[in-house]
Amino acid sequence: MRLIQIDQYHEKSMELAKPVYDSQGRVLLAAGNRIHPKYLTKLKAIGVTFLLVEDVMSSGITLDEMVDMPTWMDASQTVKDCYEHAKARKLLPVRELQQTAAKLLNEVKRRKAVLLIPSTSVAKELQPFAHSVNVALIALQIGKILKYTDSKQRDLVIGCLLHDIGKAVTNKEQEHPEKGFEILRTAREINLLSAHIAYQHHEKVNGEGFPRKLKGSEFIEFAQVCSIANEFENMISKQEISTYEAIERLMTTIDKSYSHQVIDALFKGVPSYLPGTLVRLSTGEAAIVMRIENHLHRPVVKIAETEKEISLEDNPTIVITEELTEAQIKG
């Protein structure tokens, strides 16, 4: 199994490994099917840009680290429900939200690292809510490195799931953090720290963020964790930047956007190369990333020509020099 951009799909050699969902969370295409060109065009039209597929090249890749898809979809629906309640000026479904937070925390606790399902692998209307779930999952991995307690992690999840809830009541980008804070602080069961995540997730440690231009420690670490997770998820899902490049870009923002501690936790908590990524090694050989064992940034790869597997952790002189396309690896 591997993750591909939708334009890389080949009907003759690939089949779906995971379902594709519409804006209501219903299965559009089930796993095990090949996608007819007519349906591929329809998927593109509704905003789907990533697919999880099975093919010969990805044989043996299980993606066990990937978040459970039904849990991911249920969490996206919970976020959607919260937005609908906020828009209608109704009380938030806090119990449902807390249950979702507990499930996502369990997903992260039982894995070395959680691989994300890109938010753009579902219909466009559901993507903002799937994005928030991914932000929560990334934040939890960072929180694990920062040694947050379970209680603190649950507050972090809730704040991240609802960091953009202000958008339910305003279309103005500069207003949504404060509007989100106002919505969350009225829910007595939600920790005020979670509300401050919504309020501060567009701030920067150098004071150039919004809405209040906070500086340094005024931009609380909790909100920094959500903010960097938000930026990272947007890079990999919307901008289609590789995880390695996204991490590299964020590392250049130390003491500008985020503290050194938060960026270091992102690096230690998120793998650089997902299983299924096609790469070039410093030996000149093309390879595919097979799995992550002990070191998040030194995976096991399979050489394309010989099909020999090697652990980069056990071979420190061999490094990944670039990511490849399928055409490059076959050529």
Side-chain angles (χ1 to χ4, degrees):
M1 184 193 313
R2 64 188 176 107
L3 181 72
I4 63 165
Q5 293 180 7
I6 195 167
D7 288 333
Q8 297 172 330
Y9 181 79
H10 299 294
E11 184 185 3
K12 292 183 179 179
S13 62
M14 298 176 182
E15 64 180 34
L16 279 176
K18 296 285 185 181
V20 178
Y21 294 86
D22 67 9
S23 60
Q24 302 300 314
R26 299 171 298 199
V27 175
L28 276 177
L29 290 171
N33 287 320
R34 297 190 187 275
I35 308 175
H36 188 276
K38 178 176 66 175
Y39 289 107
L40 200 67
T41 300
K42 288 184 177 179
L43 292 180
K44 291 178 182 179
I46 65 171
V48 174
T49 63
F50 283 97
L51 299 169
L52 282 159
V53 300
E54 297 274 12
D55 62 0
V56 173
M57 189 176 294
S58 62
S59 177
I61 298 175
T62 62
L63 290 183
D64 290 335
E65 302 92 344
M66 185 160 281
V67 63
D68 175 65
M69 199 159 196
T71 298
W72 186 75
M73 286 300 303
D74 288 347
S76 300
Q77 287 294 325
T78 297
V79 177
K80 184 180 179 182
D81 290 344
C82 288
Y83 275 55
E84 290 173 351
H85 278 68
K87 189 173 183 179
R89 309 292 179 178
K90 294 181 180 178
L91 294 176
L92 297 179
V94 175
R95 184 175 179 182
E96 181 183 354
L97 186 63
Q98 291 170 335
Q99 290 171 343
T100 296
K103 289 178 182 178
L104 294 181
L105 177 56
N106 185 57
E107 284 286 316
V108 172
K109 287 180 70 175
R110 65 190 182 92
R111 290 179 169 87
K112 185 178 304 175
V114 173
L115 303 184
L116 302 179
I117 303 165
S119 57
T120 48
S121 62
V122 294
K124 191 172 184 178
E125 291 83 359
L126 198 59
Q127 287 174 14
F129 316 116
H131 161 74
S132 292
V133 175
N134 280 352
V135 169
L137 288 166
I138 298 163
L140 280 172
Q141 292 183 85
I142 296 171
K144 186 161 62 173
I145 299 299
L146 294 172
K147 300 189 184 304
Y148 288 171
T149 63
D150 282 1
S151 176
K152 197 169 184 180
Q153 287 277 66
R154 283 191 289 270
D155 290 336
L156 179 64
V157 175
I158 289 172
C160 289
L161 289 175
L162 302 183
H163 72 278
D164 271 340
I165 198 168
K167 292 182 178 180
V169 297
T170 181
N171 293 322
K172 296 179 180 179
E173 179 69 9
Q174 296 286 325
E175 286 186 357
H176 83 270
E178 186 169 2
K179 294 292 185 182
F181 175 71
E182 291 171 357
I183 291 168
L184 295 187
R185 72 172 180 173
T186 61
R188 284 181 290 179
E189 304 95 330
I190 293 178
N191 193 309
L192 193 58
L193 276 174
S194 301
H196 274 287
I197 287 175
Y199 206 177
Q200 296 189 18
H201 72 279
H202 281 297
E203 301 287 357
K204 305 293 181 186
V205 293
N206 65 2
E208 295 181 1
F210 68 90
R212 293 184 291 165
K213 299 189 179 299
L214 302 178
K215 293 186 70 173
S217 60
E218 293 176 327
F219 183 19
I220 61 172
E221 185 177 273
F222 236 38
Q224 286 191 50
V225 170
C226 176
S227 181
I228 198 170
N230 179 52
E231 195 168 351
F232 178 82
E233 209 284 327
N234 279 327
M235 285 182 182
I236 62 173
S237 287
K238 294 181 180 178
Q239 300 175 41
E240 299 180 7
I241 294 171
S242 69
T243 54
Y244 172 79
E245 185 179 348
I247 292 170
E248 287 285 298
R249 288 190 185 187
L250 288 167
M251 287 181 71
T252 67
T253 68
I254 291 175
D255 296 330
K256 296 176 183 177
S257 298
Y258 311 105
S259 70
H260 184 281
Q261 184 174 350
V262 168
I263 290 180
D264 185 58
L266 173 77
F267 176 76
K268 291 178 179 176
V270 177
S272 294
Y273 299 99
L274 306 185
T277 303
L278 309 177
V279 297
R280 176 88 62 199
L281 303 179
S282 55
T283 59
E285 297 166 300
I288 185 169
V289 176
M290 295 298 292
R291 60 187 176 276
I292 298 165
E293 291 187 337
N294 299 313
H295 196 299
L296 290 186
H297 307 291
R298 305 286 293 169
V300 174
V301 302
K302 181 169 70 176
I303 307 301
E305 186 174 349
T306 64
E307 296 194 350
K308 177 184 177 182
E309 288 191 7
I310 62 170
S311 167
L312 297 186
E313 184 180 8
D314 296 336
N315 293 270
T317 60
I318 302 175
V319 298
I320 294 172
T321 58
E322 63 175 325
E323 292 191 21
L324 301 176
T325 64
E326 190 172 341
Q328 287 174 307
I329 204 168
K330 285 184 175 179

